[in-house]
């Protein structure tokens, strides 16, 4: 029986592609089919510098950070001020935004 060479090459490539897909699928299992759910990549690690010091409760800013936040607010960069405050506290985005807005209202 004679099979043309292009057909044999195409079948070989198809088989290799199926093997590659099967091997790749083994590493990533579907959580609905009993696999482990994927790790949520939205969480950001808390840097050790962001941990509150012994004298400050969580959510308060040190004088240096407060000065930086006020400088950003004075320059009209509210989002950057929120980023700086959030990196220095253990608060979520909404709580940090409320903190910065309260600082903005108390501005001299």
């Amino acid at each position: 029986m004679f099979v043309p060479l292009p057909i044999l090459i195409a079948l070989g490539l198809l088989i290799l592609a199926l093997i590659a897909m099967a091997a790749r699928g083994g590493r990533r299992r579907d959580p609905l089919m009993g696999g482990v759910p994927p790790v949520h990549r939205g969480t950001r690690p808390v840097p050790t510098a962001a941990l509150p010091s012994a004298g400050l409760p969580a959510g308060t800013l040190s004088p240096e950070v407060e000065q930086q936040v006020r400088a950003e607010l004075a320059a009209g960069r509210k989002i950057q001020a929120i980023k700086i405050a959030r990196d220095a506290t253990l608060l979520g985005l909404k709580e940090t935004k409320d903190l910065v807005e309260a600082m903005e209202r108390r501005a001299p």
Side-chain angles (χ1 to χ4, degrees):
M1 182 161 115
F2 175 74
V3 180
L5 187 61
I7 292 177
L8 287 176
I9 292 173
L11 285 175
L13 290 174
L14 179 65
I15 290 172
L16 285 175
L18 290 174
I19 291 172
M21 286 176 40
R24 197 169 138 220
R27 284 185 271 146
R28 185 185 64 223
R29 294 182 52 190
D30 186 10
L32 297 177
M33 300 298 286
V36 179
V39 176
H40 179 64
R41 299 193 192 279
T43 59
R44 61 186 174 111
V46 177
T48 55
L51 295 175
S53 61
L56 297 173
T60 58
L61 299 174
S62 66
E64 298 86 20
V65 174
E66 186 172 348
Q67 183 180 9
Q68 288 178 339
V69 170
R70 289 192 187 278
E72 294 294 331
L73 287 174
R77 295 187 294 256
K78 186 175 185 178
I79 294 174
Q80 186 64 29
I82 292 171
K83 287 180 183 180
I84 292 171
R86 187 165 185 217
D87 287 340
T89 63
L90 296 175
L91 298 176
L93 183 60
K94 181 177 180 351
E95 293 83 9
T96 307
K97 179 179 174 280
D98 293 341
L99 176 70
V100 170
E101 285 177 347
M103 287 176 60
E104 190 176 30
R105 286 189 298 268
R106 289 183 286 155

